[in-house]
Amino acid sequence: MRVNKKYSCLPAEEKGIHIINIRAIEDIGYDQHESTLLNSLSKNPDADCKYGLYFRDGKRKVDYILVYHYKKSSSGRTLARRVHHNDSSTRNTKQDQPLPGKGAQLEMGEGEPHVDCHEDDKRFRREEYEGNLVEAGLELEHDEDTKIHGVGFVKIHAPWNVLCREAEFLKLKMPTKKMYQINQTHGLLKKINTVIQKITEPIQPKVAEHKPQTMKRLSYPFSREKQHLFDLSDRDSFFDSKTRSTIVYEILKRTTCTKAKYSMGITSLLANGVYTAAYPLHDGDYEGENVEPNDRKLLCEEWASYGVFYKYQPIDLVRKYFGEKIGLYFAWLGVYTQMLIPASIVGIIVFLYGCATVDENIPSMEMCDERNNITMCPLCDRTCSYWKMSSACATARASHLFDNPATVFFSVFMALWAATFMEHWKRKQMRLNYRWDLTGFEEEEDHPRAEYEAKVLKKSLRKEHKHKETDKEKLTWKDRFPAYLTNFVGIIFMVGLTFAIVFGVIIYRISTAAALAISSTPSGRSSVRVTVTATAVIINLVVIIILDEVYGCIARWLTQIEVPKTDKNFEERLIFKAFLLKFVNAYTPIFYVAFFKGRFVGRPGDYVYIFHSFRMEECAPGGCLMELCIQLSIIMLGKQLIQNNLFEIGIPKMKKFIRYMKLKRRRSLDHEEHMKKKQRYEVDYNLEPFAGLTPEYMEMIIQFGFVTLFVASFPLAPLFALLNNIIEIRLDAKKFVTELRRPVAVRAKDIGIWYNILRGIGKLAVIINAFVISFTSDFIPRLVYLYMYSENGTMHGFVNHTLSSFNVSDFQAGTAPNDPMDLGYEVQICRYKDYREPPWSENKYDISKDFWAVLAARLAFVIVFQNLVMFMSEFVDWIIPDIPKDISQQIHKEKVLMVEVFMREEQGKQQKLETWKEKGKKKGENCNNHSPRLSRSHSGSLSSCHSYPLDV
C-alpha cells in the first residue's frame, strides 16, 4: 500500500480518499486473497528496481540512503509507506511541515496511541530537512515496508541538472571529447619495458583499468556553459556512482534544518538520532549465483581475495569505486610493501652472515671456553651465588647473530632505504595525480563541524544581551583554553602512566629474578634470564595492546573537547594525539632495554637499589642487544598477529553477529516477508560503518617505526613486516569490499600529515640506530680494543679487558652470598663487566681511563654516523626528482592542448560571427535594391533585414 504522506500534489480530502477507512480495511484484512493472487501474477517490483539500486520506477538510480528509526503503533499494523516524489511535484511545490493537529489526524487512526513528543520532534525535523533537500533539487523516495522492522529508509536521487550544477561548484575535472597520445619510451627503454610487461603479466590483475594506456582523454573542470566540450553521449555513465554519491553528500552537508534550537546539518541530525545512518550504496552483490557483473564483484575477485596475494593491486579500480583518499592509502601500502622486499633480502643476508661467522667470533669463543675459569660476581644479594662465565655461552653466541659488523652496514642501508622509499612514494603519488586528474587540485575549506557551530551559537547567545548586533562569532584560544589545559594534563598523565607501567614491569623482572635464584635446582638457576625476559615481554605486549585501545578512545575524546572547526582539523589533531600516545606506549619498553638497562647498576659493594631492597638489573655478559632483539621481535610480531590481524578479522565479525542477533530478536516476520529478498540498502545497513583511515595508517606507521628505529638489533624486522603486509593488504581489501558500508568518496592529492610523520620517523631512526650501535652493542669497545690495546692485532683478550675485578672481602654487610662455596671452592676475586680500577690499585674501584676512551669513541661514532647518513639521505632526496620527467612533460602537454582547444573554439566563434555579418550585409543590400514602394510596403521586412546581424 502506498500513500503520499508528505509531498502529495492534492490534499487527501480533494482526492476522495479517507486514510482512516483504508487503515481499517487493511486491519480487517479485506480482499487479502485477491491481492495475493494479483501479486503472484504480476511482475516482481523489486526486480524492476534491481532490489533497491533504483527507485520504484526502475529508471532513477539511488545515489544515497538516509536511515531513521520510527515507532510502530501497538494496537494494529502501522501503515507501511513507500513515498514517491515525481519531478512535477517536487519542483513546483514548496514543502512545509504539516500542522501538528491536522497532520496527526491524517496519519493516525482513531484509538491509536500518540507517539511521544521526542519522536514527533524527530519526525518534524526529518520532514523539514527532506523538504529542503527537495528544494535543492534532489528527488526522494521513502520505504518503511522492509524486513527490518522499525527502520525506515529515504532513497535519494540526484537528477542530471543537479549533478551538472554541483560538479561545476566542486570544480570536478571530467574527461572531454579531446583525446591525445601519451608519450611512449623509445629504443632500449621500450624493449626493456616490453620484456618487463611480459614477465609481470601473470601477476597483473585482470582489470581493464589496470592495462597500460596509450591514449588519454583531456580533462577539464566541468562547466555547464561548455558542455559541448565533454562527451555526453551516455549521460547515465558520465557521472559514475562514486561521483554521484560525493555530490549528494555535499548537498546533504550544505542543507540545514533551521526549526530546531540551532541550525542542524546532516552530521548534527545523525548525532542527535534524527537519522541513524547515512551512506551510499554498494554496486551490488559480490557473490552468489546469477549476480550481474559490477565493480564490487570484480574487486572481490581480483583484489579482496587471499588467492591473488601475489598480484599487483588494481589501484585505478579501487580509486574508481572508493575514491582518491582510500585509493592513495592502498597505493602507499603497496609501495611500502614492495620496498620491503629489498630490505628483507639484505636483512636475511646480514642474519646469515652472523650465523656463518658465529664459530669464528673470538669473544664468544673465549666466553664459552671453560679453561678460562672466569668467576663472575653474584647477580643479586645473599640468595645469588658466584657463577661461571661459561654458563652464559649460549647467550653470547646468539648475540653475535645480531651484534656483528654487518649490522652497522645494515643500519646505514636502512637509513638510505627510508629516504629512497619516501622519494619513490612522492614520484608514485605524482603519477597517480596525473592519472586521476588531480593536478592543480587544491583542497577547499570544509564546512564547519556541527559541534563547532553549536559552540559558536551558544557563545553568540551569551552576548546577545550586551550587543544588539554582533559580528559573526568564532572560537578563540580563550574559549578553547580549558580544553587545551585538559589536553596537556591528560597527555602528560597518559605518558606518566606508560612510564609507571614500564617501571612496574622492571620491578617484576628484578623480584622474579631474585625469587627464581633461590631455586635449589641447577636447571632453574640457569634459565633465570630466559624466563624473566620472556614473561616480562609477554606482560609488556598485553599491556601495550590494551593501552592502545584505551589511548585511541582518549585521544578522540581530547580532540572532541577542543572543538576543531573542520573535519580536516579534527582529523589532524586526532592523528597527532593518537600517534604520540601510541608511539610512547609501543616503544617505551624497548627504549628502556636499549638505553637504560644496565647503565645505573653501580658496582659490587656499592650497588644502586630500588626501594632499598631491589638491585637494578644488569645486562648479560654478551650485552643487552640480544635482549633488545627478543623484546622487539615479540612485541612487533605480537602486535601484528593479535592486534592487526585477529582483531581486524574477529571484532567486525563479532559486531556483525551481534547486530544480526538483535535484528533477529526484534523480528516477527510472516512467511511471505521471510522469503522476500532484501533490498540493497537493507543489506548495506547491516554492514559495519566506515570509521576512517586513521587506524589503518596508524598500525602501518607503528610498524614502520619497528622496521627503521631499532633495525640494528633485529635485521629480520623487514622480513616479518613484509609477510604481515602481504596479508594486511588482502585483509583490508576484504574488509572494505565485504564488511564495511561503502564510504563517501573523498578527493585527496596526497596522504596528508602521515607523510610528515614518516619523514620524522626516518630522521629519528638515524639517531636511534647510531646510539644503539655505539652504546647498546659492543661494536665500539671491540674497535677500541682492536686498535688501542690488542697486542697482536686480534680480538684475543677482549673479554678479559672488559671485565673488572672485585675483592669479595669488600662486600657490604648482609650482601655477600649465603653459600660462598657453591662452586666447590672459595672465591676471593670475582669479575664484573665495567671499566674500573682493580682492588689493588690506589684508587680502587674508580672509573678507569679505558672507560673514557671508549666513551669518547662512542660519542665520536654517533656524530660521524649521524651526519654521514643524514648527508647521504639528503643527497638521495636531492638526486631523485619529485616529479618524473615524463609526467611533467605530459602535464605541460595537457596545458598546451587545452589552450589549443579554446583557441580553436574562439576562432570558430569568430568565423561564424563574420559569416553571419556577411550574410546580413548581403541581405541588406538585396533589400535596398527593391523599389521604394516595395520598400515602404515592406517596411517591417526592411527593418528586420537591418536588424538581422544585431539579433545574431
Side-chain angles (χ1 to χ4, degrees):
M1 191 78 195
R2 299 183 190 175
V3 179
N4 195 333
K5 295 176 68 176
K6 181 181 170 192
Y7 300 110
S8 178
C9 297
L10 295 172
E13 291 82 2
E14 294 182 17
K15 292 182 181 178
I17 298 174
H18 201 286
I19 295 179
I20 297 177
N21 292 341
I22 294 174
R23 179 73 59 88
I25 291 171
E26 280 195 344
D27 291 339
I28 294 170
Y30 178 74
D31 208 19
Q32 185 176 3
H33 176 72
E34 286 80 359
S35 63
T36 306
L37 181 61
L38 288 172
N39 288 336
S40 63
L41 293 175
S42 65
K43 191 176 179 180
N44 185 6
D46 291 336
D48 293 338
C49 66
K50 293 187 178 180
Y51 296 98
L53 289 174
Y54 288 82
F55 276 23
R56 305 301 297 179
D57 56 12
K59 297 178 181 178
R60 290 175 292 173
K61 191 173 183 180
V62 177
D63 299 319
Y64 218 87
I65 291 291
L66 299 178
V67 187
Y68 60 91
H69 282 287
Y70 65 93
K71 289 188 178 180
K72 288 195 172 185
S73 171
S74 58
S75 63
R77 217 168 82 187
T78 305
L79 180 63
R81 64 170 181 164
R82 280 187 174 137
V83 184
H84 180 68
H85 302 279
N86 294 318
D87 288 346
S88 60
S89 63
T90 56
R91 293 179 188 174
N92 301 328
T93 307
K94 185 177 179 180
Q95 311 303 334
D96 297 323
Q97 70 176 31
L99 296 172
K102 194 170 183 180
Q105 271 187 344
L106 289 173
E107 291 180 2
M108 291 189 297
E110 294 178 357
E112 290 188 359
H114 289 271
V115 186
D116 58 17
C117 297
H118 188 58
E119 291 298 322
D120 268 346
D121 182 57
K122 287 183 179 180
R123 180 166 55 83
F124 290 147
R125 290 187 190 182
R126 283 198 298 268
E127 289 176 351
E128 185 201 350
Y129 184 71
E130 290 166 16
N132 293 337
L133 291 180
V134 172
E135 289 181 359
L138 298 178
E139 298 175 7
L140 312 182
E141 185 178 83
H142 287 75
D143 187 1
E144 290 181 359
D145 186 17
T146 63
K147 293 186 73 173
I148 307 175
H149 281 220
V151 176
F153 296 89
V154 182
K155 294 176 278 187
I156 302 176
H157 169 77
W160 172 256
N161 61 329
V162 174
L163 293 173
C164 294
R165 181 191 71 204
E166 298 297 323
E168 185 173 348
F169 291 166
L170 296 174
K171 300 176 183 178
L172 295 179
K173 274 192 172 184
M174 304 302 294
T176 63
K177 297 176 183 178
K178 175 69 175 177
M179 297 187 70
Y180 68 95
Q181 189 172 7
I182 299 174
N183 293 339
Q184 302 293 322
T185 55
H186 300 284
L188 182 61
L189 288 176
K190 185 177 181 180
K191 294 180 180 179
I192 293 174
N193 289 337
T194 305
V195 172
I196 292 174
Q197 287 179 6
K198 289 182 179 179
I199 294 174
T200 59
E201 187 175 356
I203 59 175
Q204 300 290 345
K206 298 177 182 178
V207 175
E209 287 81 357
H210 196 76
K211 294 179 180 178
Q213 298 178 353
T214 57
M215 301 293 292
K216 186 178 185 294
R217 286 189 179 274
L218 195 64
S219 295
Y220 185 74
F222 187 82
S223 172
R224 286 173 289 181
E225 296 180 355
K226 295 184 174 2
Q227 287 192 29
H228 58 277
L229 295 177
F230 303 94
D231 185 11
L232 303 179
S233 57
D234 186 5
R235 290 190 172 187
D236 293 336
S237 61
F238 183 74
F239 295 107
D240 56 13
S241 59
K242 173 216 30 158
T243 308
R244 296 175 72 98
S245 63
T246 303
I247 289 174
V248 173
Y249 183 65
E250 287 295 324
I251 298 175
L252 290 177
K253 288 196 298 184
R254 192 172 64 232
T255 307
T256 57
C257 169
T258 57
K259 293 185 179 179
K261 292 182 180 178
Y262 56 90
S263 179
M264 298 179 71
I266 185 61
T267 52
S268 300
L269 294 173
L270 289 169
N272 288 277
V274 179
Y275 292 103
T276 56
Y279 52 89
L281 292 179
H282 280 291
D283 279 357
D285 292 324
Y286 59 89
E287 61 182 358
E289 298 180 358
N290 302 323
V291 176
E292 294 185 4
N294 58 73
D295 288 342
R296 188 187 186 194
K297 185 174 184 294
L298 189 59
L299 282 172
C300 188
E301 293 172 352
E302 294 295 328
W303 182 51
S305 173
Y306 295 110
V308 294
F309 72 92
Y310 59 92
K311 288 188 176 183
Y312 286 101
Q313 298 182 86
I315 293 297
D316 291 325
L317 184 59
V318 174
R319 172 254 179 181
K320 177 186 174 185
Y321 193 79
F322 291 110
E324 285 80 6
K325 192 171 185 178
I326 294 176
L328 281 172
Y329 162 70
F330 281 102
W332 173 83
L333 185 55
V335 170
Y336 172 47
T337 305
Q338 287 177 3
M339 289 294 292
L340 283 173
I341 295 175
S344 302
I345 294 173
V346 176
I348 293 172
I349 294 173
V350 169
F351 178 74
L352 293 177
Y353 171 81
C355 295
T357 59
V358 68
D359 292 329
E360 302 172 2
N361 184 37
I362 296 175
S364 61
M365 291 170 61
E366 289 183 349
M367 290 179 64
C368 294
D369 191 358
E370 297 182 359
R371 295 173 296 179
N372 289 334
N373 196 25
I374 299 176
T375 304
M376 302 297 292
C377 295
L379 297 175
C380 61
D381 293 342
R382 295 188 301 276
T383 55
C384 298
S385 185
Y386 305 105
W387 54 286
K388 292 281 190 180
M389 176 173 269
S390 58
S391 63
C393 174
T395 306
R397 289 173 62 86
S399 62
H400 177 73
L401 301 177
F402 307 101
D403 187 4
N404 55 68
T407 57
V408 180
F409 157 76
F410 191 57
S411 299
V412 177
F413 171 81
M414 287 304 294
L416 298 179
W417 172 87
T420 308
F421 162 60
M422 300 305 295
E423 291 304 309
H424 179 46
W425 166 244
K426 281 197 289 189
R427 291 169 63 84
K428 177 70 172 179
Q429 194 170 253
M430 283 305 303
R431 288 187 181 277
L432 293 176
N433 286 342
Y434 163 72
R435 217 156 69 201
W436 296 349
D437 298 323
L438 292 172
T439 52
F441 167 71
E442 295 294 336
E443 294 185 10
E444 298 180 357
E445 187 176 358
D446 202 358
H447 298 282
R449 299 174 66 247
E451 293 82 355
Y452 179 85
E453 290 182 336
K455 194 92 172 177
V456 169
L457 181 66
K458 289 179 181 177
K459 181 180 177 182
S460 60
L461 290 175
R462 285 197 300 267
K463 292 186 176 181
E464 274 186 354
H465 66 281
K466 296 181 180 179
H467 307 282
K468 292 182 179 179
E469 292 184 3
T470 57
D471 296 333
K472 189 175 180 181
E473 292 289 342
K474 63 179 182 179
L475 298 184
T476 62
W477 69 269
K478 293 181 180 179
D479 301 316
R480 290 193 173 105
F481 181 75
Y484 290 153
L485 183 62
T486 306
N487 271 260
F488 178 76
V489 174
I491 290 175
I492 294 297
F493 175 77
M494 292 301 139
V495 173
L497 176 64
T498 304
F499 289 163
I501 291 174
V502 172
F503 183 74
V505 175
I506 294 171
I507 299 297
Y508 163 80
R509 294 163 68 112
I510 296 171
S511 57
T512 306
L516 291 176
I518 304 175
S519 173
S520 57
T521 58
S523 60
R525 294 177 186 175
S526 61
S527 60
V528 167
R529 286 187 184 276
V530 177
T531 305
V532 170
T533 301
T535 54
V537 171
I538 292 173
I539 293 172
N540 273 327
L541 175 62
V542 174
V543 170
I544 286 171
I545 291 174
I546 294 173
L547 287 184
D548 254 0
E549 303 301 322
V550 174
Y551 286 168
C553 298
I554 291 175
R556 181 169 290 276
W557 176 74
L558 290 175
T559 309
Q560 286 173 346
I561 64 174
E562 280 187 33
V563 197
K565 185 176 181 180
T566 63
D567 288 330
K568 184 180 179 182
N569 293 340
F570 181 88
E571 186 180 15
E572 288 180 349
R573 296 186 184 191
L574 173 63
I575 288 169
F576 174 75
K577 294 180 184 64
F579 173 75
L580 177 63
L581 292 175
K582 293 190 176 187
F583 182 89
V584 172
N585 181 41
Y587 295 113
T588 300
I590 301 173
F591 269 93
Y592 163 72
V593 175
F595 302 120
F596 296 99
K597 184 179 178 182
R599 309 290 172 192
F600 311 102
V601 177
R603 61 170 180 83
D606 188 20
Y607 283 113
V608 177
Y609 291 91
I610 302 175
F611 304 132
H612 304 287
S613 57
F614 296 111
R615 264 171 51 181
M616 290 293 291
E617 54 182 345
E618 304 176 34
C619 290
C624 280
L625 198 69
M626 185 62 197
E627 189 171 344
L628 176 62
C629 173
I630 295 172
Q631 184 104 0
L632 184 67
S633 59
I634 292 179
I635 291 177
M636 178 181 175
L637 296 177
K639 271 182 65 67
Q640 289 183 351
L641 181 64
I642 298 173
Q643 193 174 22
N644 297 358
N645 293 332
L646 293 182
F647 280 13
E648 284 193 14
I649 296 173
I651 290 179
K653 289 191 177 295
M654 187 172 65
K655 287 182 179 179
K656 187 178 179 181
F657 177 75
I658 293 172
R659 200 160 47 244
Y660 169 76
M661 294 302 294
K662 285 181 179 179
L663 291 172
K664 191 176 180 182
R665 193 179 304 157
R666 288 190 305 183
R667 286 175 187 168
S668 55
L669 302 176
D670 56 15
H671 181 70
E672 182 182 349
E673 278 187 317
H674 183 71
M675 295 302 293
K676 185 172 64 175
K677 184 178 178 180
K678 278 187 177 182
Q679 303 289 326
R680 177 79 262 153
Y681 43 84
E682 294 178 79
V683 177
D684 287 2
Y685 177 67
N686 292 328
L687 298 177
E688 188 73 14
F690 175 63
L693 289 171
T694 301
E696 313 298 335
Y697 272 114
M698 188 67 70
E699 63 185 60
M700 289 295 106
I701 297 296
I702 296 295
Q703 184 205 81
F704 182 77
F706 282 121
V707 169
T708 54
L709 292 180
F710 296 94
V711 74
S713 63
F714 190 40
L716 295 179
L719 174 64
F720 290 114
L722 173 64
L723 297 176
N724 173 79
N725 287 5
I726 291 173
I727 302 172
E728 180 74 20
I729 289 175
R730 307 303 164 181
L731 184 65
D732 283 349
K734 197 172 186 65
K735 182 173 69 174
F736 272 83
V737 174
T738 65
E739 300 287 341
L740 298 179
R741 293 175 191 162
R742 188 174 183 178
V744 180
V746 179
R747 287 189 297 169
K749 62 187 300 183
D750 51 39
I751 60 175
I753 193 174
W754 297 110
Y755 181 81
N756 298 328
I757 293 175
L758 286 169
R759 284 190 66 88
I761 292 177
K763 304 292 185 185
L764 184 62
V766 177
I767 302 171
I768 290 178
N769 280 305
F771 277 95
V772 167
I773 293 170
S774 60
F775 284 91
T776 308
S777 73
D778 283 340
F779 177 74
I780 300 300
R782 288 173 184 172
L783 286 181
V784 172
Y785 176 79
L786 186 64
Y787 293 106
M788 290 182 64
Y789 300 103
S790 178
E791 297 178 357
N792 52 7
T794 63
M795 293 301 295
H796 288 287
F798 170 73
V799 174
N800 188 59
H801 176 75
T802 58
L803 297 176
S804 299
S805 301
F806 178 75
N807 194 332
V808 298
S809 62
D810 294 331
F811 273 121
Q812 291 181 356
T815 60
N818 295 333
D819 186 10
M821 300 293 293
D822 186 56
L823 294 178
Y825 56 88
E826 184 179 358
V827 178
Q828 294 182 350
I829 298 293
C830 66
R831 309 295 295 274
Y832 61 98
K833 190 170 183 180
D834 205 349
Y835 291 100
R836 290 183 180 270
E837 298 290 342
W840 51 84
S841 173
E842 294 181 1
N843 303 317
K844 64 177 183 178
Y845 306 133
D846 285 350
I847 294 174
S848 64
K849 295 179 181 179
D850 299 342
F851 171 83
W852 300 110
V854 172
L855 179 62
R858 282 173 165 167
L859 294 175
F861 176 83
V862 169
I863 295 171
V864 172
F865 181 89
Q866 176 183 336
N867 287 282
L868 178 64
V869 175
M870 287 286 189
F871 170 76
M872 295 171 69
S873 300
E874 292 298 327
F875 179 74
V876 170
D877 192 357
W878 173 76
I879 202 172
I880 301 177
D882 294 345
I883 305 177
K885 187 177 180 180
D886 59 327
I887 296 299
S888 60
Q889 291 175 352
Q890 295 295 121
I891 294 172
H892 178 70
K893 185 177 180 180
E894 277 194 352
K895 291 179 180 178
V896 172
L897 288 173
M898 187 56 66
V899 171
E900 289 180 0
V901 168
F902 284 116
M903 289 298 294
R904 288 176 185 174
E905 187 181 1
E906 290 297 323
Q907 290 174 1
K909 287 181 180 179
Q910 192 70 25
Q911 289 176 1
K912 286 181 180 179
L913 189 61
E914 291 176 359
T915 304
W916 288 337
K917 283 182 179 179
E918 290 177 2
K919 287 182 179 179
K921 288 179 180 178
K922 289 180 181 179
K923 194 169 183 179
E925 290 174 0
N926 292 334
C927 291
N928 291 330
N929 291 334
H930 289 298
S931 63
R933 187 182 300 172
L934 185 63
S935 300
R936 283 192 296 269
S937 62
H938 294 281
S939 58
S941 300
L942 185 62
S943 62
S944 66
C945 290
H946 286 290
S947 64
Y948 174 74
L950 297 175
D951 292 340
V952 173

